Amino acid sequence: MFGSDTRGGKGLTPYQGPNRVYGEYRCGGCGHRWSSGNSWRDSFQKCHKCQNEVYPHTQTKLQPSDGDETGAAHDEVNCGKCIQLGRSCRAEFGNRRRW
């Protein structure tokens, strides 16, 4: 697990590697909580309730079930990585999990 204690002031998220990871989020504005298998280094996700930009407080290595494409559709509109790239982050990076 990459907890907030591993940041050491060097990034906006606990994980600072190149791969997609599992992230847990809590909005400071409205308190909404969620998790996502589309969490990236220094990338936010927008809160579904209030649209605040929220960075994950915890990130962990993806497990095989986390990357299952049969799960919920990727929310590209609220994904900071998709916004940054101008396209789906899943199109370029897919299920890349190499460490």
Side-chain angles (χ1 to χ4, degrees):
M1 174 167 46
F2 313 102
S4 58
D5 58 320
T6 63
R7 276 181 228 192
K10 297 183 181 184
L12 297 170
T13 57
Y15 175 67
Q16 289 296 299
N19 299 311
R20 183 169 64 97
V21 295
Y22 178 82
E24 295 180 3
Y25 299 78
R26 185 182 65 78
C27 179
C30 70
H32 179 63
R33 294 176 181 261
W34 71 96
S35 60
S36 173
N38 293 292
S39 187
W40 298 88
R41 169 186 67 213
D42 297 338
S43 287
F44 63 85
Q45 290 188 3
K46 288 186 180 179
C47 175
H48 294 280
K49 295 194 180 232
C50 69
Q51 296 299 300
N52 279 344
E53 294 178 359
V54 181
Y55 291 89
H57 59 81
T58 303
Q59 290 176 302
T60 57
K61 186 175 178 179
L62 278 173
Q63 300 299 316
S65 61
D66 291 333
D68 184 1
E69 296 297 329
T70 61
H74 180 45
D75 186 5
E76 296 173 12
V77 173
N78 291 316
C79 174
K81 187 72 166 181
C82 291
I83 293 167
Q84 173 194 4
L85 294 171
R87 63 183 180 283
S88 175
C89 67
R90 299 296 296 275
E92 181 173 341
F93 299 101
N95 289 324
R96 185 170 77 180
R97 289 188 210 135
R98 290 188 197 108
W99 298 88

